Amino acid sequence: YRALIVSEFQSPEVYENEEGDNILKSQGFTLDGEPFQREWVAYGFVYLASFFGVCLWLTGLGLYFFRHSNASGSRSPGDAQEEVELKEREENREEVNISFTPVTLTFKDICYDVESSTGGDTIRLLNNVNGIFEAGRMCALMG
């Protein structure tokens, strides 16, 4: 916080002569009666980098010691129970067979016109479009 304040009020483009120093003094940004100088900007970056390093280190420790599954790959007793329940559900599941005939759909020279909302003109959205939708293939229409 102090680094930002000092950077702002020590800027020669914004404040001339002693004006920035006077503002810093009036707001209590002084050390031994003198306003903080530009080295506080560097102190701010050092603090920021060290704070980031400490947070990164603590996050690493937390992930190492408090992960949800252990590194050996062994299962907890709850996992075995869930696996049994999953097998029971799969055994009780009824299979549904829906018969259908695969179809390939083709189209040629499709045109689509709409009326303009700003006037009586018509706008052609599709102009002689050709295409094919093959059976067993996924197709997405966008636009």
Side-chain angles (χ1 to χ4, degrees):
Y1 175 71
R2 289 181 180 173
L4 293 174
I5 297 294
V6 170
S7 177
E8 175 67 27
F9 289 107
Q10 292 286 326
S11 175
E13 293 89 23
V14 180
Y15 297 101
E16 298 177 6
N17 302 331
E18 301 290 320
E19 186 179 5
D21 289 343
N22 293 335
I23 293 173
L24 288 173
K25 285 180 185 178
S26 70
Q27 297 300 318
F29 286 93
T30 59
L31 182 65
D32 298 328
E34 292 296 317
F36 289 121
Q37 299 300 315
R38 295 197 62 75
E39 68 264 4
W40 281 94
V41 175
Y43 294 152
F45 282 111
V46 169
Y47 173 78
L48 181 67
S50 61
F51 183 75
F52 176 76
V54 168
C55 288
L56 188 65
W57 183 72
L58 289 173
T59 302
L61 282 177
L63 290 174
Y64 182 76
F65 288 111
F66 301 108
R67 60 176 56 181
H68 293 286
S69 63
N70 55 14
S72 65
S74 64
R75 296 181 179 180
S76 67
D79 290 342
Q81 179 66 25
E82 289 175 9
E83 194 171 310
V84 169
E85 290 175 3
L86 181 62
K87 284 183 181 179
E88 288 176 359
R89 275 189 254 140
E90 287 178 358
E91 290 171 359
N92 295 335
R93 183 181 299 168
E94 295 179 21
E95 193 168 315
V96 177
N97 291 322
I98 300 174
S99 61
F100 68 93
T101 305
V103 176
T104 298
L105 177 67
T106 61
F107 51 94
K108 184 176 181 179
D109 296 330
I110 300 289
C111 296
Y112 185 69
D113 297 329
V114 295
E115 285 188 28
S116 173
S117 62
T118 59
D121 299 334
T122 60
I123 300 172
R124 179 158 285 183
L125 297 179
L126 300 177
N127 186 20
N128 297 327
V129 176
N130 302 321
I132 184 169
F133 299 117
E134 295 181 10
R137 305 280 286 186
M138 181 182 285
C139 181
L141 298 176
M142 298 169 40

